[in-house]
Amino acid sequence: MNYRHAYHAGNHADVLKHTVLVRLIEHMKKKPKPFRLIDAHAGAGVYDLAGIEAGKTGESQGGIGKLEAPFDQETEALLQPYRAVLAALNPQGGLRYYPGSPDLALRLMRDDDRLTANELHPQDAIVLERHFLREPRADVTSMDAETCLKARLPPPERRGIILIDPPYEAANEAEKSVRMLAQGLQRFAQGIFVLWYPLKADATAETVLAGVAGLGADAVLKVELRVREAFAGGGLAGSGLAIVNTPWRLDAELRVMIPALAGRMGLGNWGQATVAWISPPK
Ligand SMILES: C[S@@+](CC[C@H](N)C(=O)[O-])C[C@H]1O[C@@H](n2cnc3c(N)ncnc32)[C@H](O)[C@@H]1O
């Protein structure tokens, strides 16, 4: 396991994933019934953008670093909970600390909502465990993500969001992500599943999307944000999310928010947003 999220925290892919996650959590909060977020690849919790790892890549400058100036009113209203978490994490102003998905989520969740945060990397798992030491709403585990989903689904709350966010380091990771989604849906058909994938000059996105389409799941939305052209050896040109059991009207919100983010984070005229149904709601 070479991947460490500290090198990539706050980049354009994090901004896409986290702003969409925030909207999903806000949708879940419209009903009083508690829900659970299962973050199968949780990372370390919070990242220091002034730290050695983030400094080595400077990736956050092309992501969250480009969001300082306000957007139009409608986009700002959708981003408000995300901005509120960033402000709470940085009470001195500026943007030194950036939340990982489990920290961001828990700050927006209610007293009765629950988080399962799973991280396999032994060092990040220890940091994550410490981060949530005094947090009764969090259940921190350190197992393979596939095992975690098998063990934790269906959740006792019977309402939930499941985030599948692997690093796609291993050759078979696209197939494994789709397999986790398929197995997850068998255990918890009504769950809202969010599967992240990279847009690179390779077949990963195609493999993931073909696999997701083949599941025949309901209300499957594809959300992509591209910041530049993909070329061999050129790394991450953008990223995407396949959302299963998409909440009602989330697509309309994302059709406002994602183009605004792509316009800001895209290089030159390369910023491109896609919000499209893979399979529309029945
Ligand atoms: C993209 S990062 C997660 C970022 C995090 N979800 C966020 O948005 O802040 C992927 C994480 O998955 C972890 N990981 C890699 N393989 C894993 C596996 N088989 N099971 C669980 N976690 C794994 C990595 O150590 C890394 O921390």
Side-chain angles (χ1 to χ4, degrees), residues 1-5 8 14 17-18 21 39-45 47 98-103 118-122 124 142-146 148 163-169 173 176 180 196:
M1 289 181 75
N2 291 320
Y3 184 95
R4 307 299 298 279
H5 196 64
H8 310 287
D14 259 8
K17 176 182 26 178
H18 294 162
L21 182 61
D39 195 341
H41 306 80
Y47 302 93
Y98 185 80
S101 47
D103 182 83
N118 178 67
E119 168 56 46
L120 186 61
H121 193 289
D124 284 351
S142 182
M143 42 185 150
D144 176 66
E146 191 171 10
C148 171
L163 177 61
I164 301 173
D165 183 21
Y168 293 90
E169 270 184 333
E173 215 146 12
K176 183 176 173 183
M180 279 193 272
W196 182 89

mmCIF file of all heavy atoms in Angstrom, residues 1-5 8 14 17-18 21 39-45 47 98-103 118-122 124 142-146 148 163-169 173 176 180 196, ligand 1:
data_model
loop_
_atom_site.group_PDB
_atom_site.id
_atom_site.type_symbol
_atom_site.label_atom_id
_atom_site.label_comp_id
_atom_site.label_asym_id
_atom_site.label_seq_id
_atom_site.Cartn_x
_atom_site.Cartn_y
_atom_site.Cartn_z
ATOM 1 N N MET A 1 0.848 -1.200 0.000
ATOM 2 C CA MET A 1 0.000 0.000 0.000
ATOM 3 C C MET A 1 0.878 1.243 0.000
ATOM 4 O O MET A 1 1.453 1.606 1.014
ATOM 5 C CB MET A 1 -0.879 0.017 1.261
ATOM 6 C CG MET A 1 -1.975 -1.012 1.277
ATOM 7 S SD MET A 1 -2.950 -0.882 2.790
ATOM 8 C CE MET A 1 -3.923 0.572 2.454
ATOM 9 N N ASN A 2 0.984 1.888 -1.163
ATOM 10 C CA ASN A 2 1.812 3.091 -1.245
ATOM 11 C C ASN A 2 1.014 4.369 -1.054
ATOM 12 O O ASN A 2 1.535 5.382 -0.621
ATOM 13 C CB ASN A 2 2.496 3.166 -2.621
ATOM 14 C CG ASN A 2 3.531 2.079 -2.762
ATOM 15 O OD1 ASN A 2 4.247 1.790 -1.812
ATOM 16 N ND2 ASN A 2 3.578 1.456 -3.926
ATOM 17 N N TYR A 3 -0.261 4.313 -1.412
ATOM 18 C CA TYR A 3 -1.072 5.532 -1.448
ATOM 19 C C TYR A 3 -1.238 6.148 -0.064
ATOM 20 O O TYR A 3 -1.595 5.461 0.888
ATOM 21 C CB TYR A 3 -2.449 5.217 -2.044
ATOM 22 C CG TYR A 3 -3.317 6.436 -2.205
ATOM 23 C CD1 TYR A 3 -3.369 7.110 -3.404
ATOM 24 C CD2 TYR A 3 -4.072 6.918 -1.143
ATOM 25 C CE1 TYR A 3 -4.156 8.241 -3.555
ATOM 26 C CE2 TYR A 3 -4.865 8.046 -1.270
ATOM 27 C CZ TYR A 3 -4.904 8.701 -2.482
ATOM 28 O OH TYR A 3 -5.684 9.822 -2.614
ATOM 29 N N ARG A 4 -0.975 7.453 0.064
ATOM 30 C CA ARG A 4 -1.290 8.188 1.295
ATOM 31 C C ARG A 4 -2.089 9.416 0.875
ATOM 32 O O ARG A 4 -1.619 10.224 0.057
ATOM 33 C CB ARG A 4 -0.011 8.640 2.032
ATOM 34 C CG ARG A 4 0.993 7.536 2.322
ATOM 35 C CD ARG A 4 0.438 6.434 3.208
ATOM 36 N NE ARG A 4 0.033 6.870 4.532
ATOM 37 C CZ ARG A 4 0.879 7.044 5.552
ATOM 38 N NH1 ARG A 4 2.166 6.811 5.408
ATOM 39 N NH2 ARG A 4 0.431 7.447 6.723
ATOM 40 N N HIS A 5 -3.254 9.563 1.449
ATOM 41 C CA HIS A 5 -4.122 10.642 0.973
ATOM 42 C C HIS A 5 -3.587 12.035 1.316
ATOM 43 O O HIS A 5 -3.956 13.024 0.665
ATOM 44 C CB HIS A 5 -5.549 10.462 1.506
ATOM 45 C CG HIS A 5 -6.537 11.296 0.759
ATOM 46 N ND1 HIS A 5 -6.804 11.096 -0.580
ATOM 47 C CD2 HIS A 5 -7.274 12.376 1.127
ATOM 48 C CE1 HIS A 5 -7.672 12.000 -0.992
ATOM 49 N NE2 HIS A 5 -7.973 12.795 0.019
ATOM 50 N N HIS A 8 -2.653 14.286 -1.425
ATOM 51 C CA HIS A 8 -3.678 14.700 -2.390
ATOM 52 C C HIS A 8 -4.830 15.485 -1.750
ATOM 53 O O HIS A 8 -5.745 15.913 -2.464
ATOM 54 C CB HIS A 8 -4.253 13.456 -3.087
ATOM 55 C CG HIS A 8 -3.189 12.548 -3.615
ATOM 56 N ND1 HIS A 8 -2.438 12.860 -4.715
ATOM 57 C CD2 HIS A 8 -2.698 11.365 -3.150
ATOM 58 C CE1 HIS A 8 -1.544 11.902 -4.925
ATOM 59 N NE2 HIS A 8 -1.688 10.982 -3.994
ATOM 60 N N ASP A 14 -10.975 15.666 -4.436
ATOM 61 C CA ASP A 14 -11.553 15.794 -3.092
ATOM 62 C C ASP A 14 -12.705 16.794 -3.112
ATOM 63 O O ASP A 14 -13.751 16.570 -2.483
ATOM 64 C CB ASP A 14 -10.488 16.286 -2.091
ATOM 65 C CG ASP A 14 -9.931 15.155 -1.238
ATOM 66 O OD1 ASP A 14 -10.237 13.984 -1.514
ATOM 67 O OD2 ASP A 14 -9.166 15.460 -0.292
ATOM 68 N N LYS A 17 -15.793 15.092 -4.691
ATOM 69 C CA LYS A 17 -16.332 14.039 -3.818
ATOM 70 C C LYS A 17 -16.962 14.647 -2.557
ATOM 71 O O LYS A 17 -18.061 14.265 -2.152
ATOM 72 C CB LYS A 17 -15.151 13.135 -3.462
ATOM 73 C CG LYS A 17 -15.384 12.033 -2.519
ATOM 74 C CD LYS A 17 -14.078 11.264 -2.226
ATOM 75 C CE LYS A 17 -12.805 12.027 -2.386
ATOM 76 N NZ LYS A 17 -11.557 11.364 -2.076
ATOM 77 N N HIS A 18 -16.286 15.613 -1.965
ATOM 78 C CA HIS A 18 -16.740 16.152 -0.687
ATOM 79 C C HIS A 18 -17.946 17.082 -0.844
ATOM 80 O O HIS A 18 -18.828 17.092 0.007
ATOM 81 C CB HIS A 18 -15.582 16.860 0.018
ATOM 82 C CG HIS A 18 -14.495 15.919 0.428
ATOM 83 N ND1 HIS A 18 -13.214 16.307 0.738
ATOM 84 C CD2 HIS A 18 -14.506 14.553 0.564
ATOM 85 C CE1 HIS A 18 -12.493 15.241 1.049
ATOM 86 N NE2 HIS A 18 -13.257 14.168 0.947
ATOM 87 N N LEU A 21 -20.809 14.745 -1.374
ATOM 88 C CA LEU A 21 -21.113 14.066 -0.106
ATOM 89 C C LEU A 21 -21.920 14.994 0.819
ATOM 90 O O LEU A 21 -22.884 14.561 1.465
ATOM 91 C CB LEU A 21 -19.798 13.639 0.570
ATOM 92 C CG LEU A 21 -19.910 12.878 1.877
ATOM 93 C CD1 LEU A 21 -20.659 11.551 1.695
ATOM 94 C CD2 LEU A 21 -18.519 12.606 2.467
ATOM 95 N N ASP A 39 -17.896 4.800 5.502
ATOM 96 C CA ASP A 39 -16.797 5.315 4.680
ATOM 97 C C ASP A 39 -15.769 4.181 4.613
ATOM 98 O O ASP A 39 -14.983 3.977 5.537
ATOM 99 C CB ASP A 39 -16.227 6.563 5.381
ATOM 100 C CG ASP A 39 -15.349 7.377 4.467
ATOM 101 O OD1 ASP A 39 -14.889 6.840 3.454
ATOM 102 O OD2 ASP A 39 -15.112 8.552 4.789
ATOM 103 N N ALA A 40 -15.814 3.413 3.510
ATOM 104 C CA ALA A 40 -15.034 2.167 3.445
ATOM 105 C C ALA A 40 -13.539 2.401 3.230
ATOM 106 O O ALA A 40 -12.719 1.530 3.514
ATOM 107 C CB ALA A 40 -15.585 1.281 2.326
ATOM 108 N N HIS A 41 -13.183 3.582 2.716
ATOM 109 C CA HIS A 41 -11.763 3.962 2.522
ATOM 110 C C HIS A 41 -11.625 5.360 3.114
ATOM 111 O O HIS A 41 -11.665 6.360 2.390
ATOM 112 C CB HIS A 41 -11.386 4.008 1.039
ATOM 113 C CG HIS A 41 -11.685 2.756 0.281
ATOM 114 N ND1 HIS A 41 -12.945 2.453 -0.178
ATOM 115 C CD2 HIS A 41 -10.881 1.743 -0.115
ATOM 116 C CE1 HIS A 41 -12.911 1.295 -0.817
ATOM 117 N NE2 HIS A 41 -11.670 0.835 -0.792
ATOM 118 N N ALA A 42 -11.490 5.444 4.431
ATOM 119 C CA ALA A 42 -11.726 6.717 5.113
ATOM 120 C C ALA A 42 -10.530 7.662 5.125
ATOM 121 O O ALA A 42 -10.688 8.869 5.281
ATOM 122 C CB ALA A 42 -12.181 6.444 6.543
ATOM 123 N N GLY A 43 -9.305 7.133 5.011
ATOM 124 C CA GLY A 43 -8.126 8.003 5.118
ATOM 125 C C GLY A 43 -7.843 8.359 6.573
ATOM 126 O O GLY A 43 -8.237 7.627 7.487
ATOM 127 N N ALA A 44 -7.181 9.506 6.792
ATOM 128 C CA ALA A 44 -6.669 9.825 8.122
ATOM 129 C C ALA A 44 -7.540 10.785 8.923
ATOM 130 O O ALA A 44 -7.262 11.041 10.081
ATOM 131 C CB ALA A 44 -5.260 10.389 7.998
ATOM 132 N N GLY A 45 -8.573 11.359 8.327
ATOM 133 C CA GLY A 45 -9.457 12.240 9.119
ATOM 134 C C GLY A 45 -9.334 13.698 8.748
ATOM 135 O O GLY A 45 -10.226 14.269 8.160
ATOM 136 N N TYR A 47 -6.340 16.808 7.363
ATOM 137 C CA TYR A 47 -5.017 16.960 6.732
ATOM 138 C C TYR A 47 -4.503 18.380 6.920
ATOM 139 O O TYR A 47 -5.271 19.347 6.836
ATOM 140 C CB TYR A 47 -5.123 16.624 5.234
ATOM 141 C CG TYR A 47 -5.646 15.227 5.038
ATOM 142 C CD1 TYR A 47 -7.012 14.995 4.873
ATOM 143 C CD2 TYR A 47 -4.788 14.138 5.104
ATOM 144 C CE1 TYR A 47 -7.500 13.699 4.737
ATOM 145 C CE2 TYR A 47 -5.268 12.836 4.973
ATOM 146 C CZ TYR A 47 -6.622 12.635 4.789
ATOM 147 O OH TYR A 47 -7.097 11.352 4.670
ATOM 148 N N TYR A 98 -7.672 20.737 6.214
ATOM 149 C CA TYR A 98 -8.706 20.303 5.265
ATOM 150 C C TYR A 98 -9.292 18.973 5.767
ATOM 151 O O TYR A 98 -8.537 18.055 6.104
ATOM 152 C CB TYR A 98 -8.120 20.142 3.852
ATOM 153 C CG TYR A 98 -9.200 19.804 2.864
ATOM 154 C CD1 TYR A 98 -10.013 20.805 2.347
ATOM 155 C CD2 TYR A 98 -9.460 18.487 2.513
ATOM 156 C CE1 TYR A 98 -11.063 20.504 1.492
ATOM 157 C CE2 TYR A 98 -10.510 18.172 1.654
ATOM 158 C CZ TYR A 98 -11.302 19.195 1.151
ATOM 159 O OH TYR A 98 -12.349 18.889 0.315
ATOM 160 N N PRO A 99 -10.618 18.868 5.797
ATOM 161 C CA PRO A 99 -11.229 17.648 6.339
ATOM 162 C C PRO A 99 -11.224 16.503 5.334
ATOM 163 O O PRO A 99 -11.521 16.685 4.153
ATOM 164 C CB PRO A 99 -12.672 18.084 6.614
ATOM 165 C CG PRO A 99 -12.941 19.134 5.578
ATOM 166 C CD PRO A 99 -11.626 19.829 5.331
ATOM 167 N N GLY A 100 -10.931 15.306 5.813
ATOM 168 C CA GLY A 100 -11.170 14.110 5.016
ATOM 169 C C GLY A 100 -12.661 13.793 5.085
ATOM 170 O O GLY A 100 -13.402 14.384 5.893
ATOM 171 N N SER A 101 -13.097 12.848 4.288
ATOM 172 C CA SER A 101 -14.533 12.555 4.217
ATOM 173 C C SER A 101 -15.155 12.195 5.572
ATOM 174 O O SER A 101 -16.260 12.670 5.875
ATOM 175 C CB SER A 101 -14.815 11.468 3.182
ATOM 176 O OG SER A 101 -13.934 10.380 3.328
ATOM 177 N N PRO A 102 -14.489 11.393 6.450
ATOM 178 C CA PRO A 102 -15.189 11.032 7.697
ATOM 179 C C PRO A 102 -15.356 12.228 8.635
ATOM 180 O O PRO A 102 -16.391 12.368 9.295
ATOM 181 C CB PRO A 102 -14.288 9.959 8.323
ATOM 182 C CG PRO A 102 -12.947 10.129 7.697
ATOM 183 C CD PRO A 102 -13.187 10.712 6.338
ATOM 184 N N ASP A 103 -14.355 13.105 8.665
ATOM 185 C CA ASP A 103 -14.433 14.282 9.537
ATOM 186 C C ASP A 103 -15.492 15.253 9.020
ATOM 187 O O ASP A 103 -16.327 15.759 9.780
ATOM 188 C CB ASP A 103 -13.063 14.969 9.601
ATOM 189 C CG ASP A 103 -13.085 16.170 10.528
ATOM 190 O OD1 ASP A 103 -12.949 15.965 11.743
ATOM 191 O OD2 ASP A 103 -13.288 17.299 10.036
ATOM 192 N N ASN A 118 -13.669 3.269 7.981
ATOM 193 C CA ASN A 118 -12.750 2.136 7.844
ATOM 194 C C ASN A 118 -11.519 2.539 7.038
ATOM 195 O O ASN A 118 -11.634 3.145 5.975
ATOM 196 C CB ASN A 118 -13.461 0.991 7.111
ATOM 197 C CG ASN A 118 -12.541 -0.188 6.892
ATOM 198 O OD1 ASN A 118 -12.137 -0.847 7.855
ATOM 199 N ND2 ASN A 118 -12.163 -0.439 5.651
ATOM 200 N N GLU A 119 -10.346 2.207 7.551
ATOM 201 C CA GLU A 119 -9.102 2.533 6.846
ATOM 202 C C GLU A 119 -8.111 1.388 7.046
ATOM 203 O O GLU A 119 -7.824 1.003 8.166
ATOM 204 C CB GLU A 119 -8.541 3.858 7.392
ATOM 205 C CG GLU A 119 -7.132 4.190 6.974
ATOM 206 C CD GLU A 119 -6.924 4.225 5.446
ATOM 207 O OE1 GLU A 119 -7.746 4.820 4.732
ATOM 208 O OE2 GLU A 119 -5.944 3.624 4.977
ATOM 209 N N LEU A 120 -7.571 0.874 5.950
ATOM 210 C CA LEU A 120 -6.686 -0.292 6.042
ATOM 211 C C LEU A 120 -5.235 0.065 6.356
ATOM 212 O O LEU A 120 -4.541 -0.678 7.050
ATOM 213 C CB LEU A 120 -6.756 -1.081 4.720
ATOM 214 C CG LEU A 120 -6.007 -2.405 4.689
ATOM 215 C CD1 LEU A 120 -6.549 -3.381 5.727
ATOM 216 C CD2 LEU A 120 -6.093 -3.054 3.303
ATOM 217 N N HIS A 121 -4.755 1.209 5.847
ATOM 218 C CA HIS A 121 -3.334 1.544 6.055
ATOM 219 C C HIS A 121 -3.073 1.683 7.554
ATOM 220 O O HIS A 121 -3.716 2.504 8.225
ATOM 221 C CB HIS A 121 -2.976 2.843 5.335
ATOM 222 C CG HIS A 121 -1.500 3.061 5.252
ATOM 223 N ND1 HIS A 121 -0.728 3.382 6.353
ATOM 224 C CD2 HIS A 121 -0.652 2.972 4.210
ATOM 225 C CE1 HIS A 121 0.532 3.483 5.973
ATOM 226 N NE2 HIS A 121 0.612 3.239 4.682
ATOM 227 N N PRO A 122 -2.103 0.914 8.108
ATOM 228 C CA PRO A 122 -1.965 0.887 9.575
ATOM 229 C C PRO A 122 -1.691 2.265 10.187
ATOM 230 O O PRO A 122 -2.265 2.588 11.230
ATOM 231 C CB PRO A 122 -0.789 -0.069 9.822
ATOM 232 C CG PRO A 122 -0.272 -0.485 8.487
ATOM 233 C CD PRO A 122 -1.202 0.002 7.422
ATOM 234 N N ASP A 124 -2.428 5.398 8.941
ATOM 235 C CA ASP A 124 -3.600 6.267 8.835
ATOM 236 C C ASP A 124 -4.733 5.764 9.723
ATOM 237 O O ASP A 124 -5.513 6.560 10.261
ATOM 238 C CB ASP A 124 -4.066 6.373 7.371
ATOM 239 C CG ASP A 124 -3.157 7.288 6.555
ATOM 240 O OD1 ASP A 124 -2.288 7.954 7.161
ATOM 241 O OD2 ASP A 124 -3.294 7.333 5.323
ATOM 242 N N SER A 142 -10.434 -1.171 10.942
ATOM 243 C CA SER A 142 -9.270 -1.228 10.057
ATOM 244 C C SER A 142 -9.232 -2.603 9.398
ATOM 245 O O SER A 142 -8.585 -3.520 9.883
ATOM 246 C CB SER A 142 -7.994 -0.964 10.856
ATOM 247 O OG SER A 142 -6.893 -0.975 9.988
ATOM 248 N N MET A 143 -9.984 -2.714 8.322
ATOM 249 C CA MET A 143 -9.998 -3.983 7.581
ATOM 250 C C MET A 143 -10.047 -3.668 6.086
ATOM 251 O O MET A 143 -10.161 -2.498 5.694
ATOM 252 C CB MET A 143 -11.174 -4.874 8.008
ATOM 253 C CG MET A 143 -12.495 -4.197 8.223
ATOM 254 S SD MET A 143 -13.728 -5.371 8.870
ATOM 255 C CE MET A 143 -14.767 -4.310 9.832
ATOM 256 N N ASP A 144 -9.948 -4.693 5.288
ATOM 257 C CA ASP A 144 -10.113 -4.475 3.858
ATOM 258 C C ASP A 144 -11.539 -3.951 3.623
ATOM 259 O O ASP A 144 -12.496 -4.432 4.243
ATOM 260 C CB ASP A 144 -9.883 -5.789 3.107
ATOM 261 C CG ASP A 144 -10.139 -5.611 1.631
ATOM 262 O OD1 ASP A 144 -9.372 -4.875 0.987
ATOM 263 O OD2 ASP A 144 -11.121 -6.177 1.118
ATOM 264 N N ALA A 145 -11.663 -2.989 2.715
ATOM 265 C CA ALA A 145 -12.968 -2.341 2.498
ATOM 266 C C ALA A 145 -14.063 -3.349 2.137
ATOM 267 O O ALA A 145 -15.215 -3.219 2.581
ATOM 268 C CB ALA A 145 -12.832 -1.301 1.393
ATOM 269 N N GLU A 146 -13.704 -4.348 1.363
ATOM 270 C CA GLU A 146 -14.701 -5.334 0.931
ATOM 271 C C GLU A 146 -15.225 -6.115 2.147
ATOM 272 O O GLU A 146 -16.425 -6.352 2.298
ATOM 273 C CB GLU A 146 -14.066 -6.282 -0.094
ATOM 274 C CG GLU A 146 -15.058 -7.165 -0.797
ATOM 275 C CD GLU A 146 -14.434 -7.930 -1.966
ATOM 276 O OE1 GLU A 146 -13.197 -7.923 -2.118
ATOM 277 O OE2 GLU A 146 -15.203 -8.540 -2.732
ATOM 278 N N CYS A 148 -15.171 -5.024 5.197
ATOM 279 C CA CYS A 148 -15.918 -4.072 6.028
ATOM 280 C C CYS A 148 -17.368 -3.969 5.554
ATOM 281 O O CYS A 148 -18.300 -4.029 6.366
ATOM 282 C CB CYS A 148 -15.242 -2.711 5.967
ATOM 283 S SG CYS A 148 -16.201 -1.400 6.725
ATOM 284 N N LEU A 163 -19.738 5.116 1.062
ATOM 285 C CA LEU A 163 -18.730 5.731 0.189
ATOM 286 C C LEU A 163 -17.638 4.706 -0.115
ATOM 287 O O LEU A 163 -17.014 4.170 0.803
ATOM 288 C CB LEU A 163 -18.137 6.972 0.875
ATOM 289 C CG LEU A 163 -17.012 7.697 0.115
ATOM 290 C CD1 LEU A 163 -17.487 8.212 -1.238
ATOM 291 C CD2 LEU A 163 -16.477 8.861 0.951
ATOM 292 N N ILE A 164 -17.446 4.448 -1.415
ATOM 293 C CA ILE A 164 -16.397 3.528 -1.874
ATOM 294 C C ILE A 164 -15.375 4.390 -2.613
ATOM 295 O O ILE A 164 -15.651 4.889 -3.707
ATOM 296 C CB ILE A 164 -16.998 2.430 -2.793
ATOM 297 C CG1 ILE A 164 -18.077 1.637 -2.034
ATOM 298 C CG2 ILE A 164 -15.895 1.494 -3.306
ATOM 299 C CD1 ILE A 164 -18.844 0.632 -2.903
ATOM 300 N N ASP A 165 -14.204 4.582 -2.000
ATOM 301 C CA ASP A 165 -13.258 5.601 -2.488
ATOM 302 C C ASP A 165 -11.831 5.038 -2.512
ATOM 303 O O ASP A 165 -10.943 5.550 -1.822
ATOM 304 C CB ASP A 165 -13.369 6.827 -1.555
ATOM 305 C CG ASP A 165 -12.503 7.981 -1.999
ATOM 306 O OD1 ASP A 165 -12.120 8.032 -3.184
ATOM 307 O OD2 ASP A 165 -12.211 8.843 -1.141
ATOM 308 N N PRO A 166 -11.597 3.974 -3.297
ATOM 309 C CA PRO A 166 -10.271 3.345 -3.277
ATOM 310 C C PRO A 166 -9.233 4.149 -4.054
ATOM 311 O O PRO A 166 -9.594 4.987 -4.885
ATOM 312 C CB PRO A 166 -10.517 1.999 -3.976
ATOM 313 C CG PRO A 166 -11.702 2.204 -4.833
ATOM 314 C CD PRO A 166 -12.523 3.305 -4.233
ATOM 315 N N PRO A 167 -7.949 3.875 -3.822
ATOM 316 C CA PRO A 167 -6.902 4.631 -4.529
ATOM 317 C C PRO A 167 -6.643 4.169 -5.963
ATOM 318 O O PRO A 167 -5.921 4.827 -6.685
ATOM 319 C CB PRO A 167 -5.665 4.400 -3.657
ATOM 320 C CG PRO A 167 -5.937 3.185 -2.852
ATOM 321 C CD PRO A 167 -7.422 3.043 -2.733
ATOM 322 N N TYR A 168 -7.231 3.055 -6.382
ATOM 323 C CA TYR A 168 -7.000 2.502 -7.735
ATOM 324 C C TYR A 168 -5.504 2.323 -8.013
ATOM 325 O O TYR A 168 -5.007 2.702 -9.068
ATOM 326 C CB TYR A 168 -7.673 3.379 -8.817
ATOM 327 C CG TYR A 168 -9.182 3.352 -8.723
ATOM 328 C CD1 TYR A 168 -9.866 4.275 -7.932
ATOM 329 C CD2 TYR A 168 -9.925 2.376 -9.389
ATOM 330 C CE1 TYR A 168 -11.252 4.230 -7.812
ATOM 331 C CE2 TYR A 168 -11.310 2.326 -9.276
ATOM 332 C CZ TYR A 168 -11.960 3.260 -8.485
ATOM 333 O OH TYR A 168 -13.334 3.209 -8.371
ATOM 334 N N GLU A 169 -4.805 1.783 -7.027
ATOM 335 C CA GLU A 169 -3.371 1.476 -7.159
ATOM 336 C C GLU A 169 -3.193 0.106 -7.797
ATOM 337 O O GLU A 169 -2.333 -0.086 -8.636
ATOM 338 C CB GLU A 169 -2.756 1.369 -5.764
ATOM 339 C CG GLU A 169 -2.206 2.623 -5.190
ATOM 340 C CD GLU A 169 -1.554 2.321 -3.842
ATOM 341 O OE1 GLU A 169 -1.941 1.349 -3.158
ATOM 342 O OE2 GLU A 169 -0.653 3.075 -3.488
ATOM 343 N N GLU A 173 -8.435 -2.959 -9.302
ATOM 344 C CA GLU A 173 -9.234 -2.184 -8.348
ATOM 345 C C GLU A 173 -10.580 -1.714 -8.923
ATOM 346 O O GLU A 173 -11.556 -1.560 -8.189
ATOM 347 C CB GLU A 173 -8.434 -1.012 -7.787
ATOM 348 C CG GLU A 173 -8.786 -0.736 -6.352
ATOM 349 C CD GLU A 173 -7.641 -0.245 -5.491
ATOM 350 O OE1 GLU A 173 -6.574 0.106 -6.023
ATOM 351 O OE2 GLU A 173 -7.828 -0.211 -4.274
ATOM 352 N N LYS A 176 -12.829 -4.585 -8.545
ATOM 353 C CA LYS A 176 -13.122 -4.790 -7.124
ATOM 354 C C LYS A 176 -14.156 -3.763 -6.625
ATOM 355 O O LYS A 176 -15.055 -4.105 -5.865
ATOM 356 C CB LYS A 176 -11.827 -4.684 -6.300
ATOM 357 C CG LYS A 176 -12.043 -4.961 -4.825
ATOM 358 C CD LYS A 176 -10.757 -4.951 -4.030
ATOM 359 C CE LYS A 176 -11.041 -5.065 -2.539
ATOM 360 N NZ LYS A 176 -9.831 -4.993 -1.717
ATOM 361 N N MET A 180 -17.686 -4.642 -4.983
ATOM 362 C CA MET A 180 -18.133 -4.173 -3.659
ATOM 363 C C MET A 180 -19.513 -3.541 -3.750
ATOM 364 O O MET A 180 -20.355 -3.724 -2.875
ATOM 365 C CB MET A 180 -17.138 -3.143 -3.106
ATOM 366 C CG MET A 180 -15.930 -3.758 -2.480
ATOM 367 S SD MET A 180 -15.009 -2.535 -1.543
ATOM 368 C CE MET A 180 -13.969 -1.908 -2.782
ATOM 369 N N TRP A 196 -16.348 6.385 -6.215
ATOM 370 C CA TRP A 196 -15.450 7.357 -6.858
ATOM 371 C C TRP A 196 -14.570 6.631 -7.881
ATOM 372 O O TRP A 196 -14.165 5.482 -7.650
ATOM 373 C CB TRP A 196 -14.565 8.015 -5.784
ATOM 374 C CG TRP A 196 -13.648 9.061 -6.343
ATOM 375 C CD1 TRP A 196 -13.931 10.387 -6.494
ATOM 376 C CD2 TRP A 196 -12.300 8.879 -6.820
ATOM 377 N NE1 TRP A 196 -12.848 11.024 -7.058
ATOM 378 C CE2 TRP A 196 -11.851 10.135 -7.272
ATOM 379 C CE3 TRP A 196 -11.452 7.779 -6.937
ATOM 380 C CZ2 TRP A 196 -10.567 10.324 -7.809
ATOM 381 C CZ3 TRP A 196 -10.182 7.962 -7.473
ATOM 382 C CH2 TRP A 196 -9.747 9.222 -7.895
HETATM 383 C C1 LIG B 1 -8.657 8.212 -1.748
HETATM 384 S S1 LIG B 1 -8.151 7.779 -0.159
HETATM 385 C C2 LIG B 1 -9.558 8.096 0.825
HETATM 386 C C3 LIG B 1 -9.891 9.513 1.045
HETATM 387 C C4 LIG B 1 -11.075 9.767 1.920
HETATM 388 N N1 LIG B 1 -12.231 8.939 1.566
HETATM 389 C C5 LIG B 1 -11.469 11.227 1.818
HETATM 390 O O1 LIG B 1 -12.290 11.564 0.942
HETATM 391 O O2 LIG B 1 -10.984 12.036 2.610
HETATM 392 C C6 LIG B 1 -8.173 6.030 -0.205
HETATM 393 C C7 LIG B 1 -7.850 5.389 1.129
HETATM 394 O O3 LIG B 1 -8.107 3.980 1.028
HETATM 395 C C8 LIG B 1 -7.136 3.288 1.800
HETATM 396 N N2 LIG B 1 -7.134 1.915 1.300
HETATM 397 C C9 LIG B 1 -6.419 1.375 0.278
HETATM 398 N N3 LIG B 1 -6.753 0.089 0.079
HETATM 399 C C10 LIG B 1 -7.714 -0.194 0.985
HETATM 400 C C11 LIG B 1 -8.478 -1.358 1.264
HETATM 401 N N4 LIG B 1 -8.313 -2.488 0.559
HETATM 402 N N5 LIG B 1 -9.382 -1.308 2.255
HETATM 403 C C12 LIG B 1 -9.572 -0.170 2.972
HETATM 404 N N6 LIG B 1 -8.873 0.976 2.759
HETATM 405 C C13 LIG B 1 -7.962 0.952 1.773
HETATM 406 C C14 LIG B 1 -5.871 4.072 1.568
HETATM 407 O O4 LIG B 1 -4.934 3.831 2.593
HETATM 408 C C15 LIG B 1 -6.388 5.515 1.541
HETATM 409 O O5 LIG B 1 -6.319 6.102 2.812
#
